[in-house]
Amino acid sequence: MNTTITFEDFQKLDIRIGTIVSVSEPEGSEKILRLEVDLGEEIGKRIVFAGIKKFYKPEELLNRQIVVLVNLASRKFFGEDSGGMLLAADEEGKPTLLILEKNVTKGSKVR
């Protein structure tokens, strides 16, 4: 389904670049990884849970820059709040992380 939104709707999204500073595997989860993402001075560090465990090893993600939707309402996973959503391309159910052309300042806004 392709739903059109207005430019004003798009402006409500707070999409930032963050650096993954730690990755762990919640006990008992087959799909979820727990990421601690540094989103720069303005926002700080956030915990983000992502269903990418089957596709990425924790060591592949450490220190990698990712794109995060930071103003999504929090949701509990394994007793913790997930403070955002990692953005990835979805090709036939397989997530592919968005890769930046070069490293940018943590917390940079995506416009």
Side-chain angles (χ1 to χ4, degrees):
M1 176 163 73
N2 189 3
T3 303
T4 302
I5 65 171
T6 67
F7 183 72
E8 289 75 23
D9 289 335
F10 175 76
Q11 287 183 307
K12 294 176 186 175
L13 302 176
D14 191 357
I15 303 171
R16 306 280 182 126
I17 303 302
T19 301
I20 300 172
V21 295
S22 73
V23 182
S24 59
E25 301 177 43
E27 191 174 324
S29 175
E30 295 178 14
K31 298 179 182 179
I32 305 290
L33 288 176
R34 179 189 181 275
L35 312 174
E36 183 178 5
V37 182
D38 186 350
L39 292 153
E41 288 183 27
E42 183 181 341
I43 297 175
K45 293 180 182 173
R46 293 258 181 104
I47 302 302
V48 175
F49 288 88
I52 59 173
K53 184 175 178 178
K54 291 184 178 182
F55 307 99
Y56 290 94
K57 293 181 172 94
E59 59 271 15
E60 292 178 294
L61 298 171
L62 199 56
N63 299 315
R64 194 164 185 179
Q65 287 199 307
I66 58 171
V67 181
V68 180
L69 176 62
V70 298
N71 65 337
L72 183 67
S74 67
R75 184 173 166 199
K76 286 223 183 273
F77 289 87
F78 303 95
E80 280 188 274
D81 284 333
S82 182
M85 179 183 283
L86 174 151
L87 300 183
D90 181 349
E91 186 170 29
E92 297 179 8
K94 180 182 178 198
T96 300
L97 297 178
L98 305 179
I99 298 173
L100 302 175
E101 178 181 354
K102 63 179 183 174
N103 278 352
V104 299
T105 304
K106 292 177 278 195
S108 293
K109 289 187 175 189
V110 175
R111 300 183 191 264

